[in-house]
Each structure stands twice: as structure tokens, then as C-alpha cells.
Amino acid sequence: MNKAFVFSAEAIVALLLIASIAAIPPQKHETNLIELLLLQKENDLLKVWAKEKTSIDEMKSDFEFVFYGKSGKAAINETEAFFGKQNCKKEISSNATYFSLNEKTVLGISVCY
Amino acid sequence: MNTTNRMQKGFVFSFDLMIAFIAVLSASFIAISLISSNIEKQASFIEENELKTHAIFLADSIVKNSDENNSFYGMALFDSEKHRVKSNEISPKFIEKEPPLSGKFFIREISAEFKNGVVKKIFEKNLEGKNCIAIERFVLLEGKKAKLNLAVCSE
């Protein structure tokens, strides 16, 4: 009787352990795709800004058009424009430099997600 | 005397075994249910991920490539003087042909939204999909800034 009781208890513990391992939820790897899409959109903006030789006001307008509701930053040389809350946990940044008539312009953009 | 003892042992042993069986079967049932549920979630997540990946790369191809034979693979302008593709500068015509289907995914709609709120339809297919995802990219459409919206669905 004692042996039977002990064996059953072990079997129950073992099966509960297997059940708890099986209950571990599947891990989601969605973050990489979100980051990729944000990076692509930032790249789109930088390309268009470089082509149009943009101003900070246009950059502000375009940022809000593409990343409506998101926090981030856009910069042209030393001039910066901020959107939303700045202390974000994760952000993605991209930069581009173009030369025009011996003048160098540095564009930057970062988005929080 | 011996018969009574055997009977007592038999009763206790059977009862104990019955409890053990119930406990083991219950635990097995719970384990199988949880595993089955996890597998279903994983399958659904993989399918969703596949759709997102497909849509993101298709949108990138449309915006970055130039293909005169098939606009669905590239709508960017081609600079024949400089012999290069002008990525993010597109000039699409309304496409009436069916886009090539890729397995279980199809393009449901391609449209462009300008900064003044005007929306221009480039392609539309009236078909219900199981799951759909919309991807936005920033482009210059015929010289004007616009968001290119691509809706891809799974059959």
C-alpha cells in the first residue's frame, strides 16, 4: 500500500512537470519585422529628403505624416525636431549624408517603438 | 483468516490504484490539452508571420525596383541617362491585369494617400482573404509626397 502510494505520487509529480513544460507559451519573434519596417520607412524619408534638399519644417510635416502618433526625432545638421515623449525604451535611428556644391548636409531620423 | 487478509489487501490495492489511474489520466489530459493549444497558437503565429514577411518584402520590391513588364514587382522610375533606378520615386498607372499570385497570398489593394488626404487607387481586387495586412511606404508619386499602401491577404 505504501509502495503503491509513493509510486503514484511520483507519477503525478512527473506528469505535472511535463504539463508545466508543455504549458510554456510559444515565443513570438515579431520584433524583428517591426524593426525592419521602421527602418525601411526611415530610409524612405531620408531618400526623399535628400532628393528634395528639404528643410526642418518639411521634415516635421513628413515625419508626422509617416509616423503619426509615434515619438522620435528628425535632424538636419545641428537643427533637431522632437516628436512625442523622448525617453523611450527602444528606438531605431538612421542617418544620411549628401553633398551639394561642396556643402555637406547630414540628415538624421529616429523613431521610438 | 487468510482469505480476509487477502480481501483487505485486494480492496486497498484496487482503491489506491484507482486513485493513481485517475490522477495520472487527469495529468495526461491536461498535458495533452496544453500541448495541443500551444501547437495551434504556434501554427497561427507562423502563418501570420509569413504573411507579414511576404507583404513587407513585396512592398519593398515595388518601391525600390523598376520592372516595365510587371509593375507589381517594381514601380520605381528608371533614369535612362544615368542608367539607374530612382527608388522611392514611382509613377504607377492603374493596373488592370491580375498580379502574379504567390502561393497562398494575393495582393488585394494598392493605393496612394497624399498629404492633402486624397487617395488614389492603383490596383484593387474584390476578393475576401482569410487574414490581411496593410503595409505603408513613403514615396514620391509623380513628384508628390505620398504614402503607398499595400494590402496583402492570405487565401
Side-chain angles (χ1 to χ4, degrees), chain B residues 77-131:
Chain B
L77 293 173
F78 182 76
D79 190 335
S80 49
E81 281 180 21
K82 294 177 185 172
H83 297 284
R84 64 169 187 190
V85 175
K86 292 179 166 183
S87 52
N88 288 87
E89 288 181 54
I90 64 173
S91 181
K93 298 168 192 173
F94 186 79
I95 306 164
E96 288 170 0
K97 285 184 193 174
E98 285 283 324
L101 293 175
S102 177
K104 50 188 174 178
F105 304 114
F106 66 93
I107 298 172
R108 192 173 172 198
E109 187 181 291
I110 303 175
S111 62
E113 184 190 342
F114 294 94
K115 283 179 99 172
N116 58 7
V118 171
V119 177
K120 178 180 175 179
K121 283 256 166 75
I122 297 165
F123 172 79
E124 194 177 17
K125 183 171 185 178
N126 287 323
L127 194 67
E128 287 297 318
K130 200 169 90 176
N131 285 319

Side-chain angles (χ1 to χ4, degrees), chain A residues 30-39 92 113, chain B residues 52 56:
Chain A
E30 203 177 323
T31 314
N32 289 336
L33 285 176
I34 294 170
E35 287 173 358
L36 175 63
L37 190 56
L38 285 175
L39 208 57
I92 282 197
Y113 69 102
Chain B
K52 275 184 191 166
I56 286 172

Side-chain angles (χ1 to χ4, degrees), chain B residues 39-56:
Chain B
I39 287 170
E40 273 177 26
K41 281 181 195 171
Q42 276 278 20
S44 152
F45 174 67
I46 287 168
E47 203 181 302
E48 203 182 295
N49 229 30
E50 216 180 336
L51 174 64
K52 275 184 191 166
T53 310
H54 198 88
I56 286 172

Side-chain angles (χ1 to χ4, degrees), chain A residues 8 22 44 51 58 61-62, chain B residues 20 38 88-89 115 137 145:
Chain A
S8 299
D44 292 341
K51 190 201 175 290
E58 272 295 311
S61 166
D62 293 342
Chain B
N38 266 353
N88 288 87
E89 288 181 54
K115 283 179 99 172
R137 294 293 297 269
K145 291 174 183 175

